[in-house]
Amino acid sequence: MSKTVVKSNKSSKKQSLIQLALALLIVIMLNVISLYAFSRFDLTSEKRYTLSDATKKIITDLKDVVYIKVYLEGEFPAGFKRLRNETKEMLDEFRAYSKENNIQYEFINPSENPDVKKRNEVYRQLTDLGLQPTNLEVKEENGSSQQIIFPGALISFNGKQVPLQLLKSRLGASPEEMLNNSIQALEYELASSIKKVSSLYKSKVAFLDGHGELDSNEVKDISNALLEYYFVERKTINGKLDALDGVKGLIIAKPDSVFTEKDKFVIDQFVMRGGKVMFLIDPIFATMDSLNNSGLTVGIAQSQNLEDMLFRYGVRLNNNLVQDLQAAPIPVVVGYTGNQPQQKLFPWPFFPLIMSQNTHPIVNNLNAIKLEFASSLDTVGHEEIKKTILLSSSDYTKLLNAPVRISVNMLQNKPDIRQYAKKQQPLAALLEGTFTSIYKNRLSAKITDSKDINFKEKSNFNRMIVIADGDVIRSERNKSTGQMYPLGYDRFTNQQYGNKNFILNCVNYLMDDSGLITVRSRELKLRLLDRERIKTEKGKWQVIAVSLPLLSIVLLGAYRYFARKRKYTK
């Protein structure tokens, strides 16, 4: 009997050694395979940690280390802790795909210094570098206190540094929605900033001159923002066929005079050869300057001689002005105290605020966009062109055909909502497809056959954007100092609208060959706790949370006890 037991023990020991050896061999083989094959698994329903091919290419193409300082360390409310954790997890994903650890990061608490003077100096330095602070109200046992945080990052590469604001604000959105939108945008914002700071080659974007377009000061802020991605300059055509050579993107910002047929021909052939154009056109001439001086002005139709060209490409601009009850306010004198005028802010229907619900990458989760004296547009014909409406007015819209009498006195009366019966009038459109030249079948054989002109009557796949408002790209001027405000800044409300991000997204979408901007359309579901159920069912869920684990342990222990008793009783 004893020999049998010894033999059984030896056999069992031998099997154990074989199993251990097999396990070690499997581990070694997996490690060897992992050196040559790399894969990660994303088990989230929205695939939030699955990086796009464009992002992976940006990360893997890095030739040196990108260093990221994230200023999201410290004691935060739960929402900001979530933003911090999601940022860290996204950076871990970036680092996993980078070669030679070319993604490095650290999290920094800018408020850790107990010395108030030194802490304020750090705040000032971060603000100068382009990071915007957020003032939080933190609830404590004895009341509440104010806490300043910088929900942003500084991204450095080879001596170049760019700021990145991680928290994205949106007018009318709850804090939970803003945090969720910020988390949704993490991959795009981080990848875009890394691309911006590490790119060696930049395409050329030009602002057109010579037709009364906005001057360099009026587009200075957006030009500086574009300079981080592209070479930016101003171009005048003057009928020269080679005027746009070397240019990849063209911005035509609020022209007020007629285009000659020669200039139109150059632009048309620029489009046919793959050039990207952004038209920002005012069909109606109306300004606040004359309104401020007399309280009355007239909006009149103006032609830039571009109507036939845009119609051929797939858009018709209408000679009307849009009035929208969802509008930005302007100050109006409501009385006097002595000689001092008393002003009050009233929504000005000619300044619509566009809150886009579109999920297209250009406008997804953008803050409200402010337009001024905008017109509506229609998309027309051409099955080869896909038309996407980027901006639309609200459900309470009114259209006024030119000529339009514009008076501040209209604000004295409450608007009749029945007159604002038009809904979601198109204001900006993206056109994608194969464009046909406006000069097809209109030119002599001498021109079309000329090798110097090299006329092309049809484009390959191309894109363009048409906006029926030129002021969406214009920065306002401080009349007392002459200083230009940042694009989208409203001096009356101190509100920063989303105009700059909208224009940047438009240009990036047109110019982007990698497809990175499509990541902006990714959506993460906002899963919030039901606060009312928390109040009414708090006790029940507390009992379940405490008793269920204990009950599970007791049941598991009882099962193991009776199982062992039954086994050894036999």
Side-chain angles (χ1 to χ4, degrees), residues 461-520:
F461 180 85
N462 204 354
R463 296 166 171 164
M464 71 174 63
I465 291 174
V466 181
I467 304 173
D469 176 39
D471 292 301
V472 68
I473 199 173
R474 180 179 63 86
S475 295
E476 293 189 21
R477 187 190 306 272
N478 186 321
K479 293 184 178 180
S480 58
T481 64
Q483 181 182 1
M484 303 304 296
Y485 293 109
L487 177 59
Y489 177 75
D490 188 338
R491 67 186 186 275
F492 302 126
T493 62
N494 291 324
Q495 177 71 237
Q496 181 67 50
Y497 295 117
N499 294 45
K500 184 189 292 187
N501 287 334
F502 170 64
I503 298 297
L504 280 175
N505 287 349
C506 285
V507 177
N508 286 341
Y509 186 84
L510 293 178
M511 303 282 285
D512 182 25
D513 296 324
S514 68
L516 176 62
I517 197 171
T518 58
V519 178
R520 291 198 75 256

Coordinates of all heavy atoms in Angstrom, one line a residue, residues 461-520:
F461 N -11.6 64.7 -57.0 CA -12.3 65.0 -55.7 C -11.7 66.2 -55.0 O -10.5 66.2 -54.8 CB -12.3 63.7 -54.8 CG -13.0 63.9 -53.6 CD1 -14.4 63.7 -53.5 CD2 -12.3 64.3 -52.4 CE1 -15.1 63.9 -52.3 CE2 -13.0 64.5 -51.2 CZ -14.4 64.3 -51.2
N462 N -12.6 67.1 -54.6 CA -12.1 68.3 -54.0 C -13.2 68.8 -53.0 O -14.3 68.2 -52.9 CB -11.9 69.4 -55.0 CG -10.9 70.5 -54.5 OD1 -10.5 70.4 -53.3 ND2 -10.5 71.4 -55.4
R463 N -12.8 69.8 -52.2 CA -13.7 70.3 -51.2 C -13.6 71.8 -51.2 O -12.6 72.4 -51.5 CB -13.3 69.8 -49.8 CG -13.4 68.4 -49.5 CD -12.6 68.0 -48.3 NE -12.9 66.6 -47.9 CZ -12.2 65.9 -47.0 NH1 -11.1 66.5 -46.4 NH2 -12.5 64.7 -46.7
M464 N -14.7 72.5 -50.8 CA -14.8 73.9 -50.5 C -15.8 74.2 -49.5 O -16.8 73.4 -49.3 CB -15.0 74.7 -51.8 CG -16.3 74.6 -52.4 SD -16.6 75.7 -53.8 CE -15.4 75.1 -55.0
I465 N -15.8 75.4 -48.9 CA -16.7 75.8 -47.9 C -17.2 77.2 -48.3 O -16.4 78.1 -48.7 CB -16.2 75.8 -46.5 CG1 -15.9 74.4 -46.0 CG2 -17.1 76.5 -45.5 CD1 -15.2 74.3 -44.7
V466 N -18.6 77.4 -48.3 CA -19.2 78.7 -48.6 C -20.0 79.1 -47.4 O -20.8 78.4 -46.8 CB -20.1 78.6 -49.8 CG1 -20.7 79.9 -50.1 CG2 -19.3 78.0 -51.0
I467 N -19.7 80.3 -46.9 CA -20.4 80.9 -45.7 C -21.0 82.2 -46.1 O -20.4 83.1 -46.7 CB -19.4 81.1 -44.6 CG1 -18.7 79.8 -44.2 CG2 -20.2 81.7 -43.3 CD1 -17.6 80.0 -43.2
A468 N -22.3 82.4 -45.9 CA -23.0 83.6 -46.3 C -22.9 84.7 -45.2 O -23.9 85.3 -44.8 CB -24.5 83.3 -46.5
D469 N -21.7 84.9 -44.7 CA -21.4 86.0 -43.8 C -19.9 86.2 -43.8 O -19.1 85.2 -43.6 CB -21.9 85.6 -42.4 CG -21.5 86.7 -41.4 OD1 -21.5 87.9 -41.7 OD2 -21.1 86.3 -40.2
G470 N -19.4 87.4 -44.0 CA -18.0 87.7 -44.0 C -17.5 88.0 -42.6 O -16.3 87.9 -42.4
D471 N -18.3 88.4 -41.7 CA -17.9 88.9 -40.4 C -17.5 87.8 -39.4 O -17.0 88.0 -38.4 CB -19.0 89.8 -39.7 CG -19.2 91.1 -40.5 OD1 -18.2 91.8 -40.6 OD2 -20.3 91.3 -41.0
V472 N -17.9 86.5 -39.8 CA -17.6 85.4 -38.9 C -16.1 85.2 -38.7 O -15.6 84.6 -37.7 CB -18.2 84.1 -39.5 CG1 -17.5 83.7 -40.8 CG2 -18.2 83.0 -38.4
I473 N -15.3 85.8 -39.6 CA -13.8 85.6 -39.5 C -13.2 86.9 -39.1 O -11.9 87.0 -39.0 CB -13.3 85.2 -40.9 CG1 -11.9 84.6 -40.8 CG2 -13.3 86.3 -41.9 CD1 -11.3 84.0 -42.0
R474 N -13.9 88.0 -38.9 CA -13.4 89.3 -38.6 C -13.3 89.6 -37.1 O -14.2 89.4 -36.4 CB -14.3 90.4 -39.2 CG -13.8 91.8 -39.0 CD -14.7 92.8 -39.7 NE -16.1 92.8 -39.1 CZ -16.5 93.4 -38.1 NH1 -15.6 94.2 -37.4 NH2 -17.7 93.3 -37.6
S475 N -12.1 90.1 -36.7 CA -11.9 90.5 -35.3 C -12.4 91.9 -35.1 O -12.2 92.8 -36.0 CB -10.5 90.4 -34.9 OG -10.0 89.1 -34.9
E476 N -13.0 92.2 -34.0 CA -13.5 93.6 -33.7 C -12.4 94.5 -33.2 O -11.4 94.0 -32.6 CB -14.7 93.5 -32.7 CG -15.9 92.9 -33.3 CD -17.1 93.0 -32.4 OE1 -17.1 93.9 -31.5 OE2 -18.0 92.2 -32.5
R477 N -12.6 95.7 -33.4 CA -11.5 96.7 -33.1 C -12.0 97.5 -31.9 O -13.2 98.0 -31.8 CB -11.2 97.7 -34.2 CG -10.1 98.6 -34.0 CD -10.0 99.7 -35.1 NE -10.0 99.1 -36.4 CZ -8.8 98.7 -37.0 NH1 -7.7 98.9 -36.4 NH2 -8.9 98.2 -38.2
N478 N -11.1 97.8 -30.9 CA -11.4 98.7 -29.8 C -11.2 100.1 -30.3 O -10.1 100.5 -30.7 CB -10.4 98.4 -28.7 CG -10.7 99.3 -27.4 OD1 -11.1 100.4 -27.5 ND2 -10.5 98.7 -26.3
K479 N -12.3 100.8 -30.4 CA -12.3 102.1 -31.1 C -11.5 103.2 -30.4 O -10.9 104.1 -31.0 CB -13.7 102.7 -31.3 CG -14.5 101.8 -32.3 CD -15.9 102.4 -32.5 CE -16.7 101.5 -33.5 NZ -18.0 102.0 -33.8
S480 N -11.3 103.0 -29.1 CA -10.6 104.0 -28.3 C -9.1 103.8 -28.4 O -8.3 104.7 -28.4 CB -11.0 104.0 -26.8 OG -10.8 102.7 -26.3
T481 N -8.6 102.5 -28.5 CA -7.2 102.2 -28.5 C -6.7 101.8 -29.9 O -5.5 101.7 -30.2 CB -6.9 101.1 -27.5 OG1 -7.5 99.9 -27.8 CG2 -7.3 101.6 -26.1
G482 N -7.7 101.3 -30.7 CA -7.3 100.8 -32.0 C -6.9 99.3 -32.0 O -6.6 98.7 -33.0
Q483 N -6.8 98.8 -30.8 CA -6.4 97.4 -30.6 C -7.5 96.4 -31.1 O -8.7 96.7 -31.0 CB -6.1 97.1 -29.2 CG -5.6 95.7 -28.9 CD -5.4 95.5 -27.4 OE1 -5.6 96.4 -26.6 NE2 -4.9 94.3 -27.0
M484 N -7.0 95.3 -31.7 CA -8.0 94.3 -32.2 C -8.2 93.3 -31.2 O -7.3 92.8 -30.5 CB -7.4 93.6 -33.5 CG -7.1 94.6 -34.6 SD -8.4 95.6 -35.2 CE -9.6 94.4 -35.8
Y485 N -9.5 92.9 -31.0 CA -9.9 91.9 -30.0 C -9.7 90.5 -30.6 O -9.6 90.4 -31.9 CB -11.4 92.0 -29.6 CG -11.7 93.2 -28.8 CD1 -12.5 94.3 -29.4 CD2 -11.3 93.4 -27.5 CE1 -12.8 95.4 -28.6 CE2 -11.6 94.5 -26.8 CZ -12.4 95.5 -27.3 OH -12.7 96.6 -26.6
P486 N -9.5 89.5 -29.8 CA -9.4 88.1 -30.4 C -10.7 87.8 -31.1 O -11.8 88.3 -30.8 CB -9.3 87.2 -29.1 CG -8.8 88.2 -28.0 CD -9.4 89.5 -28.3
L487 N -10.5 87.0 -32.2 CA -11.7 86.6 -33.0 C -12.7 85.8 -32.1 O -12.4 84.9 -31.4 CB -11.2 85.6 -34.1 CG -12.3 85.1 -35.0 CD1 -13.1 86.2 -35.7 CD2 -11.7 84.1 -36.0
G488 N -13.9 86.3 -32.2 CA -15.0 85.7 -31.5 C -15.3 86.3 -30.1 O -16.2 86.0 -29.4
Y489 N -14.4 87.3 -29.7 CA -14.6 87.9 -28.4 C -15.7 89.0 -28.5 O -15.7 89.9 -29.4 CB -13.3 88.5 -27.9 CG -13.4 89.3 -26.6 CD1 -13.6 88.6 -25.4 CD2 -13.5 90.7 -26.6 CE1 -13.7 89.3 -24.2 CE2 -13.6 91.4 -25.4 CZ -13.7 90.7 -24.2 OH -13.8 91.4 -23.0
D490 N -16.7 89.0 -27.6 CA -17.7 90.0 -27.5 C -17.4 90.9 -26.4 O -17.5 90.6 -25.2 CB -19.1 89.3 -27.3 CG -20.3 90.2 -27.4 OD1 -20.1 91.4 -27.2 OD2 -21.4 89.8 -27.6
R491 N -17.1 92.2 -26.7 CA -16.7 93.1 -25.7 C -17.8 93.6 -24.8 O -17.6 94.1 -23.7 CB -16.1 94.4 -26.3 CG -17.0 95.2 -27.2 CD -16.3 96.3 -27.9 NE -17.2 97.3 -28.6 CZ -17.6 97.1 -29.8 NH1 -17.4 95.9 -30.4 NH2 -18.4 98.0 -30.4
F492 N -19.1 93.3 -25.2 CA -20.2 93.8 -24.4 C -20.5 92.7 -23.3 O -21.0 93.1 -22.2 CB -21.5 94.0 -25.3 CG -21.3 95.0 -26.4 CD1 -21.5 94.6 -27.7 CD2 -20.8 96.2 -26.1 CE1 -21.3 95.6 -28.7 CE2 -20.6 97.2 -27.1 CZ -20.9 96.8 -28.4
T493 N -20.3 91.5 -23.6 CA -20.6 90.4 -22.6 C -19.4 89.7 -22.0 O -19.5 88.9 -21.2 CB -21.5 89.4 -23.2 OG1 -20.8 88.8 -24.3 CG2 -22.8 90.0 -23.7
N494 N -18.2 90.1 -22.6 CA -16.9 89.4 -22.2 C -17.0 87.9 -22.6 O -16.3 87.0 -21.9 CB -16.6 89.5 -20.8 CG -16.2 91.0 -20.4 OD1 -15.5 91.6 -21.3 ND2 -16.5 91.5 -19.3
Q495 N -17.9 87.5 -23.5 CA -18.1 86.1 -23.9 C -17.1 85.8 -25.1 O -16.9 86.6 -26.0 CB -19.5 85.9 -24.3 CG -19.8 84.5 -24.9 CD -19.8 83.5 -23.8 OE1 -19.1 82.5 -23.8 NE2 -20.6 83.7 -22.7
Q496 N -16.5 84.6 -25.0 CA -15.6 84.2 -26.1 C -16.4 83.2 -26.9 O -16.6 82.0 -26.5 CB -14.3 83.6 -25.6 CG -13.4 83.1 -26.7 CD -12.8 84.2 -27.5 OE1 -12.3 85.2 -27.0 NE2 -12.9 84.1 -28.8
Y497 N -16.9 83.5 -28.1 CA -17.6 82.6 -28.9 C -16.7 81.7 -29.7 O -15.5 81.9 -29.7 CB -18.5 83.4 -29.9 CG -19.6 84.2 -29.2 CD1 -19.6 85.6 -29.2 CD2 -20.6 83.6 -28.4 CE1 -20.6 86.3 -28.6 CE2 -21.6 84.3 -27.8 CZ -21.6 85.7 -27.8 OH -22.6 86.4 -27.1
G498 N -17.3 80.8 -30.4 CA -16.5 79.7 -31.1 C -16.0 80.0 -32.5 O -15.7 79.1 -33.2
N499 N -16.0 81.3 -32.9 CA -15.7 81.6 -34.3 C -14.3 81.1 -34.6 O -14.1 80.6 -35.7 CB -15.7 83.2 -34.4 CG -17.2 83.7 -34.3 OD1 -17.9 83.3 -33.4 ND2 -17.6 84.5 -35.2
K500 N -13.3 81.3 -33.7 CA -11.9 81.0 -34.1 C -11.8 79.5 -34.3 O -11.2 79.0 -35.3 CB -10.9 81.4 -33.0 CG -9.5 81.1 -33.4 CD -8.5 81.4 -32.2 CE -8.4 82.9 -31.9 NZ -7.4 83.1 -30.9
N501 N -12.3 78.7 -33.4 CA -12.3 77.2 -33.6 C -13.0 76.8 -34.8 O -12.6 75.8 -35.5 CB -12.8 76.5 -32.3 CG -11.9 76.6 -31.1 OD1 -10.7 76.8 -31.3 ND2 -12.5 76.6 -29.9
F502 N -14.1 77.4 -35.1 CA -14.9 77.1 -36.3 C -14.1 77.3 -37.6 O -14.0 76.4 -38.5 CB -16.2 77.9 -36.4 CG -16.9 77.8 -37.7 CD1 -17.5 76.6 -38.1 CD2 -17.1 78.9 -38.5 CE1 -18.1 76.5 -39.3 CE2 -17.7 78.8 -39.7 CZ -18.3 77.6 -40.1
I503 N -13.4 78.5 -37.7 CA -12.6 78.8 -38.9 C -11.4 77.8 -38.9 O -11.1 77.3 -40.0 CB -12.1 80.2 -38.8 CG1 -13.3 81.2 -38.9 CG2 -11.2 80.5 -40.0 CD1 -14.2 81.1 -40.1
L504 N -10.8 77.6 -37.8 CA -9.6 76.6 -37.8 C -10.1 75.3 -38.2 O -9.4 74.6 -39.0 CB -9.0 76.6 -36.4 CG -8.1 77.7 -36.0 CD1 -7.7 77.5 -34.5 CD2 -6.8 77.7 -36.8
N505 N -11.2 74.8 -37.8 CA -11.7 73.5 -38.2 C -12.0 73.4 -39.6 O -11.8 72.4 -40.3 CB -13.0 73.1 -37.3 CG -12.6 72.8 -35.9 OD1 -11.5 72.6 -35.5 ND2 -13.6 72.7 -35.1
C506 N -12.6 74.5 -40.2 CA -12.9 74.6 -41.6 C -11.6 74.4 -42.4 O -11.6 73.6 -43.4 CB -13.6 75.9 -41.9 SG -15.3 76.1 -41.4
V507 N -10.6 75.2 -42.1 CA -9.4 75.2 -42.8 C -8.7 73.8 -42.7 O -8.2 73.2 -43.6 CB -8.4 76.3 -42.4 CG1 -7.1 76.2 -43.2 CG2 -9.1 77.7 -42.7
N508 N -8.7 73.3 -41.4 CA -8.0 72.0 -41.2 C -8.7 70.9 -42.0 O -8.1 70.0 -42.5 CB -8.0 71.7 -39.7 CG -7.0 72.5 -38.9 OD1 -6.0 73.1 -39.5 ND2 -7.1 72.6 -37.6
Y509 N -10.0 71.0 -42.0 CA -10.8 69.9 -42.7 C -10.5 70.0 -44.2 O -10.3 69.0 -44.9 CB -12.3 70.1 -42.5 CG -13.1 69.0 -43.1 CD1 -13.3 67.8 -42.4 CD2 -13.7 69.1 -44.4 CE1 -14.0 66.7 -42.9 CE2 -14.4 68.1 -44.9 CZ -14.6 66.9 -44.2 OH -15.3 65.9 -44.7
L510 N -10.4 71.2 -44.8 CA -10.1 71.3 -46.2 C -8.7 70.9 -46.5 O -8.5 70.2 -47.6 CB -10.3 72.8 -46.6 CG -11.7 73.4 -46.6 CD1 -11.7 74.8 -47.0 CD2 -12.7 72.6 -47.5
M511 N -7.8 71.2 -45.7 CA -6.4 71.0 -45.9 C -5.9 69.6 -45.5 O -4.8 69.2 -45.9 CB -5.5 72.1 -45.2 CG -5.9 73.5 -45.6 SD -5.2 73.9 -47.2 CE -3.5 74.2 -46.8
D512 N -6.6 68.9 -44.6 CA -6.2 67.7 -44.0 C -6.2 66.5 -44.9 O -7.3 66.1 -45.3 CB -7.0 67.5 -42.7 CG -6.5 66.2 -42.0 OD1 -5.3 65.9 -42.1 OD2 -7.3 65.6 -41.2
D513 N -5.1 66.0 -45.3 CA -5.1 64.8 -46.1 C -5.0 63.5 -45.2 O -5.2 62.4 -45.7 CB -3.9 64.8 -47.0 CG -3.9 65.9 -48.0 OD1 -5.1 66.3 -48.5 OD2 -2.9 66.5 -48.3
S514 N -4.7 63.6 -44.0 CA -4.6 62.5 -43.1 C -5.9 62.0 -42.6 O -6.0 60.8 -42.1 CB -3.6 62.8 -41.9 OG -4.2 63.7 -41.0
G515 N -6.9 62.8 -42.5 CA -8.2 62.4 -42.0 C -8.3 62.5 -40.5 O -9.2 62.1 -39.9
L516 N -7.3 63.2 -39.9 CA -7.3 63.3 -38.4 C -8.5 64.1 -37.9 O -9.1 63.7 -36.8 CB -6.0 64.1 -38.0 CG -5.9 64.4 -36.5 CD1 -5.8 63.1 -35.7 CD2 -4.7 65.2 -36.2
I517 N -9.0 65.1 -38.6 CA -10.1 65.9 -38.0 C -11.4 65.1 -37.9 O -12.3 65.4 -37.1 CB -10.3 67.1 -38.9 CG1 -11.2 68.1 -38.1 CG2 -11.0 66.8 -40.2 CD1 -11.3 69.5 -38.7
T518 N -11.5 63.9 -38.6 CA -12.7 63.1 -38.5 C -12.8 62.5 -37.1 O -13.9 62.1 -36.7 CB -12.7 62.0 -39.5 OG1 -11.5 61.2 -39.3 CG2 -12.7 62.5 -40.9
V519 N -11.7 62.5 -36.3 CA -11.8 62.0 -35.0 C -12.7 62.9 -34.1 O -13.3 62.4 -33.1 CB -10.4 61.9 -34.4 CG1 -10.4 61.5 -32.9 CG2 -9.5 61.0 -35.2
R520 N -12.9 64.2 -34.5 CA -13.7 65.1 -33.7 C -15.2 64.6 -33.7 O -15.9 65.1 -32.8 CB -13.7 66.5 -34.3 CG -12.4 67.2 -34.1 CD -12.5 68.7 -34.3 NE -13.1 69.3 -33.1 CZ -14.4 69.7 -33.1 NH1 -15.1 69.6 -34.1 NH2 -14.8 70.3 -32.0

